[in-house]
Amino acid sequence: MNPSEWITFTLIGFLLLIIIAIAWFVFRKRKKWAVAITATLLIGYVGYYAYYPTMKMNTHAAKYEQVVEYLGTKYPGQQFTIRPEHYEAGVTVGTFDISEAETPDMGVTLRVDDEGEVRQISTWTGGGYPEQRDLWKELEFHYGSDYNFDREEVEITKQDEWIDGELTVFALNIDDKPAIAVYEYAQGGYGRLELQESQNGDFVSAEMEGYVFIYIDERYPTETVEIELQNGESISVEAAEHKGKLFIAE
């Protein structure tokens, strides 16, 4: 049992002691009645306590079937992994971690309430602390809206990377358009500092800590790219020399 369940049973037991005490006071001249009431309450309490684990397992199993039916109806043809199928100690009854078969390291937590309604209560990832070179993969989980099974799929691929200490920069294609993602990485934590996406699908740039990061799509049709900087100035970059990879200007 979890702490809240222990507290609940303790409170119920305390309440029963009060009721038993009152019964003995009221029926002090009819001790058989007091004994009968006491025995009934104690047998009921012990019986419920003994049956409680089985009740949780049965309830969880029923809610598991409800989740299976819910996913099959809402997402026909899709394959999911649902955990835990059977009740386990420490798990909240009716709460399940769900992942799609293609993405086992990320998913959502669904809860089935007492009325049979299924709702998403959180998201999760199971990949552990990422390697610095793999930071860009967090976009698969966090890009756009919060992760859920209804979110429109997005294709993200890494084209190039640049790492200088904690500063980590990736040239990406997001739905076949250039993008630059900038991260700060340390053993104590990491975070995305910036994400710039190309508006026209040709090139994209980002500025961070005195650097200008430029990523030009391989299909860019002209010879040079004009990059306007945050200070109002501009720089010209030879497109043919730097297409398809991350270019860093200082």
Side-chain angles (χ1 to χ4, degrees), residues 93-193:
V93 173
T95 300
F96 304 89
D97 288 335
I98 320 292
S99 62
E100 295 183 86
E102 297 81 4
T103 55
D105 288 333
M106 61 182 181
V108 304
T109 300
L110 300 182
R111 176 175 293 167
V112 185
D113 62 23
D114 293 338
E115 286 71 42
E117 181 180 354
V118 181
R119 58 188 179 90
Q120 178 176 324
I121 60 173
S122 64
T123 59
W124 56 268
T125 56
Y129 199 80
E131 296 290 335
Q132 191 167 7
R133 296 181 182 276
D134 292 330
L135 285 175
W136 65 276
K137 293 182 179 180
E138 66 90 24
L139 281 171
E140 297 176 336
F141 188 77
H142 295 293
Y143 182 79
S145 61
D146 291 338
Y147 180 77
N148 59 73
F149 297 142
D150 296 314
R151 189 180 67 172
E152 185 176 349
E153 291 187 13
V154 58
E155 183 180 1
I156 303 175
T157 57
K158 182 178 75 170
Q159 304 301 308
D160 201 359
E161 66 184 38
W162 180 86
I163 297 176
D164 183 16
E166 295 182 354
L167 188 62
T168 312
V169 184
F170 298 99
L172 307 170
N173 279 346
I174 301 179
D175 281 344
D176 209 29
K177 291 184 178 180
I180 292 177
V182 183
Y183 292 86
E184 184 177 40
Y185 181 89
Q187 292 304 315
Y190 63 91
R192 182 174 3 126
L193 303 178

Side-chain angles (χ1 to χ4, degrees), residues 14-238:
F14 183 71
L15 179 61
L16 289 180
L17 288 177
I18 293 175
I19 295 173
I20 290 171
I22 293 173
W24 277 90
F25 176 77
V26 172
F27 299 107
R28 58 186 178 277
K29 295 182 179 180
R30 300 179 179 179
K31 292 185 178 181
K32 290 184 178 180
W33 287 28
V35 170
I37 292 173
T38 301
T40 300
L41 292 176
L42 290 179
I43 291 172
Y45 179 77
V46 172
Y48 180 67
Y49 182 85
Y51 175 70
Y52 188 71
T54 301
M55 183 184 72
K56 289 200 295 185
M57 288 189 290
N58 293 340
T59 303
H60 190 84
K63 292 187 176 184
Y64 176 86
E65 295 301 326
Q66 288 177 300
V67 165
V68 171
E69 182 180 357
Y70 168 83
L71 294 172
T73 301
K74 191 167 184 179
Y75 308 103
Q78 290 183 240
Q79 299 296 318
F80 296 95
T81 300
I82 308 172
R83 299 181 298 268
E85 179 177 355
H86 304 290
Y87 176 74
E88 300 173 1
V91 173
T92 301
V93 173
T95 300
F96 304 89
D97 288 335
I98 320 292
S99 62
E100 295 183 86
E102 297 81 4
T103 55
D105 288 333
M106 61 182 181
V108 304
T109 300
L110 300 182
R111 176 175 293 167
V112 185
D113 62 23
D114 293 338
E115 286 71 42
E117 181 180 354
V118 181
R119 58 188 179 90
Q120 178 176 324
I121 60 173
S122 64
T123 59
W124 56 268
T125 56
Y129 199 80
E131 296 290 335
Q132 191 167 7
R133 296 181 182 276
D134 292 330
L135 285 175
W136 65 276
K137 293 182 179 180
E138 66 90 24
L139 281 171
E140 297 176 336
F141 188 77
H142 295 293
Y143 182 79
S145 61
D146 291 338
Y147 180 77
N148 59 73
F149 297 142
D150 296 314
R151 189 180 67 172
E152 185 176 349
E153 291 187 13
V154 58
E155 183 180 1
I156 303 175
T157 57
K158 182 178 75 170
Q159 304 301 308
D160 201 359
E161 66 184 38
W162 180 86
I163 297 176
D164 183 16
E166 295 182 354
L167 188 62
T168 312
V169 184
F170 298 99
L172 307 170
N173 279 346
I174 301 179
D175 281 344
D176 209 29
K177 291 184 178 180
I180 292 177
V182 183
Y183 292 86
E184 184 177 40
Y185 181 89
Q187 292 304 315
Y190 63 91
R192 182 174 3 126
L193 303 178
E194 189 168 358
L195 175 64
Q196 293 289 342
E197 301 179 67
S198 173
Q199 299 300 314
N200 53 21
D202 292 334
F203 65 89
V204 64
S205 66
E207 297 181 52
M208 185 65 61
E209 298 186 6
Y211 296 100
V212 181
F213 303 97
I214 303 165
Y215 173 43
I216 305 170
D217 187 82
E218 292 182 343
R219 297 163 296 184
Y220 187 70
T222 56
E223 296 181 356
T224 60
V225 172
E226 293 294 326
I227 305 294
E228 185 175 344
L229 305 180
Q230 293 175 357
N231 60 10
E233 298 179 0
S234 62
I235 58 174
S236 180
V237 178
E238 294 294 330

